[in-house]
Amino acid sequence: MKVADAEGVDALTMRRIAEMLGFTTMSLYRHVPGKSELLDLMVDAAWGETEHTPKGPWRDGLEFFARQMWAMYRAHPWMLQLTTSRRMPGPQAMTRLDAAFAVVSELGLAPEEIVAVVTAVSHFVDGVGRTMADRVKAERETGVSDEEWWSTTDSLWEHFTPDRLPMMTHIWNTGGFERPLDEFEFGLARVLDGLVAFVEAEERPAVRRSTCL
Amino acid sequence: MKVADAEGVDALTMRRIAEMLGFTTMSLYRHVPGKSELLDLMVDAAWGETEHTPKGPWRDGLEFFARQMWAMYRAHPWMLQLTTSRRMPGPQAMTRLDAAFAVVSELGLAPEEIVAVVTAVSHFVDGVGRTMADRVKAERETGVSDEEWWSTTDSLWEHFTPDRLPMMTHIWNTGGFERPLDEFEFGLARVLDGLVAFVEAEERPAVRRSTCL
DNA sequence: TAGTGCCGTGTACAACGTACACCTGGTGTA
DNA sequence: TACACCAGGTGTACGTTGTACACGGCACTA
């Protein structure tokens, strides 16, 4: 995890891990069936580092849960480039999920609704996390972050801006991209507002059941 | 893209592409600098397949935008396992984004707010898409989907359910996992509700500017 | 004392992206 | 007509990856 945090998950090879531990590469396979299982363990270990969501007002609890996830993703961006090869969350992630369920359990929601509420929050955090992780990776790989990047952007800009992207040019010219709102803060507040509206509605809107897959 | 859709992005090797086109592997490098640029092109081509977001009531427009993204991700789940090596969206994605900006542009929002609103929706769709993509990948790789999977799940369940996961067991026992709500439909409605609340508020809540990175 | 696992080692292989040197046929210019 | 040029296709080769497989030593038990 130390390597993945610092140099990205691509730098995390079995040989590298072994070298760092002072053993040979193949010795690792005495303790772990393969690399993907090892990555699964890393992911669950990261979940284990987060704090347990406390009981309390449900909106605060959900917000806490989201912020913990966000902190986790910021500390370990590699989590978002991994496909969770197993289909179920690991035990640590399960524990955290359970606590999040508990927070919304006193609202009299149907069980599917409890799941849906927590899932909606997770999906949002996953989404922000992903673009954050991509940004981190791109910065590490290309080295430079601002000086070179924005200059090339400028030239690109002139290339296809004219009238094919009217709104973008307008936003660009009025500085909307220069001082953006915090994507996580803004989105989280909206998602939670939307959930409040759902929970407080006298008759809750029906939602389609999941089609298979 | 045909290969990636059907067999996953891991099956998409340069040799495979060349073979499919009837040329040798290295001939591809006459047309594309490297694989990652080719993947960038694929991603942007997928954006090009979606329909242009029409003008109209802003909530409908945003919903349309989200549904188009969702359809795109369902058709091309591999898009979500790729790290967009370049930092800017391609021209097709740009065009779609521009149309989405246009939809919310008549609300008198500040430019940063326009960006934030569209970004929030995208992040949510990204998040749902990601877990969907993982599920698709897992099903392809492990072959079986239900019969074997749920049986192993059952045994796992007995293992650590007792009292460490009270809410999960409760939800499990009351069938909350068996007939889940559609994650996309549910979440999208909440996110849009939250955005409506934001837009209609007399004084819009301040949001922290993005801290760098 | 012989047997039985656990744990670490070393070599080897297939698959990947791609660098590099080479060939080849069509086109533009003298 | 001659010739240079070069976009586009070919073939071989290299380094890196995950990991299969055969092997060696150690501790412990019957």
Side-chain angles (χ1 to χ4, degrees), chain A residues 169-192:
Chain A
T169 19
H170 174 251
I171 294 175
W172 173 270
N173 290 333
T174 51
F177 291 124
E178 286 169 24
R179 230 171 300 110
L181 301 186
D182 186 293
E183 302 179 3
F184 173 75
E185 296 295 338
F186 179 86
L188 178 60
R190 295 325 127 220
V191 171
L192 292 175

Side-chain angles (χ1 to χ4, degrees), chain A residues 27-97:
Chain A
S27 73
L28 301 178
Y29 288 87
R30 290 284 166 194
H31 307 272
V32 147
K35 190 182 187 183
S36 82
E37 286 83 357
L38 193 145
L39 294 173
D40 285 343
L41 292 175
M42 287 172 57
V43 168
D44 207 50
W47 275 96
E49 290 175 347
T50 63
E51 290 173 42
H52 195 276
T53 302
K55 304 235 171 195
W58 70 273
R59 183 180 167 135
D60 294 349
L62 267 187
E63 183 172 335
F64 182 89
F65 173 68
R67 290 188 186 282
Q68 288 291 114
M69 265 184 86
W70 179 237
M72 176 182 76
Y73 286 153
R74 291 192 53 106
H76 310 298
W78 44 266
M79 294 181 73
L80 292 147
Q81 322 180 206
L82 265 39
T83 44
T84 62
S85 72
R86 197 182 295 122
R87 204 123 68 199
M88 287 233 295
Q92 302 281 0
M94 280 270 199
T95 307
R96 296 306 182 269
L97 264 185

Side-chain angles (χ1 to χ4, degrees), chain B residues 103-174:
Chain B
V103 149
V104 287
S105 68
E106 294 148 15
L107 298 173
L109 298 178
E112 317 82 85
E113 288 174 332
I114 297 178
V115 176
V117 166
V118 173
T119 309
V121 173
S122 311
H123 281 156
F124 167 72
V125 183
D126 276 0
V128 210
R130 222 194 107 77
T131 72
M132 183 266 301
D134 283 2
R135 201 149 36 211
V136 168
K137 191 187 176 199
E139 283 182 12
R140 181 179 36 241
E141 286 175 359
T142 65
V144 196
S145 155
D146 285 355
E147 53 266 49
E148 197 187 38
W149 173 243
W150 287 106
S151 61
T152 53
T153 300
D154 279 340
S155 56
L156 255 185
W157 205 249
E158 295 165 4
H159 202 272
F160 47 61
T161 286
D163 44 19
R164 293 185 40 200
L165 301 172
M167 275 311 297
M168 285 209 128
T169 19
H170 175 252
I171 293 175
W172 173 269
N173 290 333
T174 52

Side-chain angles (χ1 to χ4, degrees), chain B residues 15 22-24 26-28 30-31:
Chain B
R15 298 182 217 271
F23 295 114
T24 57
M26 290 311 293
S27 72
L28 302 178
R30 291 282 166 194
H31 306 273

Side-chain angles (χ1 to χ4, degrees), chain B residues 18-89:
Chain B
E19 183 187 3
M20 169 161 292
L21 263 50
F23 295 114
T24 57
T25 310
M26 290 311 293
S27 72
L28 302 178
Y29 288 87
R30 291 282 166 194
H31 306 273
V32 147
K35 190 183 189 183
S36 83
E37 286 82 356
L38 192 145
L39 294 173
D40 285 343
L41 292 175
M42 287 171 57
V43 168
D44 206 50
W47 275 97
E49 289 175 348
T50 63
E51 291 173 44
H52 195 275
T53 302
K55 305 235 170 196
W58 70 273
R59 183 180 166 134
D60 294 349
L62 267 187
E63 184 173 335
F64 182 90
F65 173 67
R67 289 188 186 283
Q68 288 291 113
M69 264 184 86
W70 180 237
M72 176 182 76
Y73 285 152
R74 293 193 53 106
H76 309 299
W78 43 266
M79 294 181 73
L80 291 146
Q81 320 180 209
L82 266 38
T83 43
T84 61
S85 71
R86 198 181 294 122
R87 204 122 68 198
M88 286 233 295

Side-chain angles (χ1 to χ4, degrees), chain A residues 14-30:
Chain A
M14 295 303 266
R15 299 183 215 272
R16 176 79 188 271
I17 299 173
E19 183 187 3
M20 170 161 292
L21 264 50
F23 295 114
T24 56
T25 310
M26 290 312 292
S27 73
L28 301 178
Y29 288 87
R30 290 284 166 194

